[in-house]
Amino acid sequence: MVLAPEHPLVAKLTTPDCEAAVDEICFQARRQSDIDREATDKEKTGVFIGAYAVNPVNNERIPIWIADYVLMTYGTRRDHGCARARRARFAFAIKYGLPIIPVIDRNDGAAKVLR
C-alpha cells in the first residue's frame, strides 16, 4: 500500500525509526509539481513508513509506503492496486523489491506486462 507523502495518515502512522527517511521523501515531494511527480520518464521514489495495513481478504500484513507518484490532488490519495496494472506501480515494486502478485492468469497471450 502506498500513500501520498502529504496524506494526513503519514504523520500518524510513521514509526520513529522511519521518521527521518519519511521526512526526506516528503520534503522532496513538496519541491516538485504534480506534473513532475507523475511523469512517466521519471524514476519513482518512496520509503516504508514502518506501519502495516491488514488485507481483509486474507488477514496478511501489508507494508505501508509513501511515494512521490501518489498525489493528494488526484484519485484517493493512496495506491493499493495491482503492481501489474500500471507502469508506475510496477516500476516502483521492482525498484524496491516489493512482491508482485499475479491477479489475472491468461494463457492466450492477450495480457502482457509492460507493453
Side-chain angles (χ1 to χ4, degrees):
M1 177 173 189
V2 183
L3 297 173
E6 306 86 359
H7 197 291
L9 286 176
V10 173
K12 293 178 183 178
L13 298 176
T14 299
T15 59
D17 57 318
C18 294
E19 234 172 70
V22 168
D23 288 348
E24 179 61 24
I25 290 289
C26 291
F27 174 76
Q28 294 300 330
R30 281 192 302 273
R31 296 178 61 203
Q32 300 175 57
S33 71
D34 287 359
I35 292 170
D36 290 337
R37 287 172 56 182
E38 283 193 308
T40 56
D41 62 341
K42 178 188 163 293
E43 187 172 341
K44 308 308 177 199
T45 59
V47 67
F48 175 57
I49 69 169
Y52 295 85
V54 176
N55 182 334
V57 174
N58 59 14
N59 290 321
E60 287 186 23
R61 288 171 24 132
I62 302 167
I64 302 173
W65 286 64
I66 59 170
D68 58 358
Y69 75 90
V70 182
L71 306 175
M72 281 297 290
T73 57
Y74 179 80
T76 58
R77 280 77 60 200
R78 61 173 168 51
D79 181 5
H80 66 276
C82 169
R84 295 177 67 190
R86 190 166 172 233
R87 290 176 193 258
R89 293 180 192 144
F90 188 84
F92 188 81
I94 294 294
K95 178 178 179 179
Y96 291 103
L98 303 174
I100 299 173
I101 301 165
V103 295
I104 299 172
D105 186 18
R106 297 199 49 168
N107 296 322
D108 63 1
K112 294 189 188 258
V113 175
L114 294 178
R115 291 176 193 237

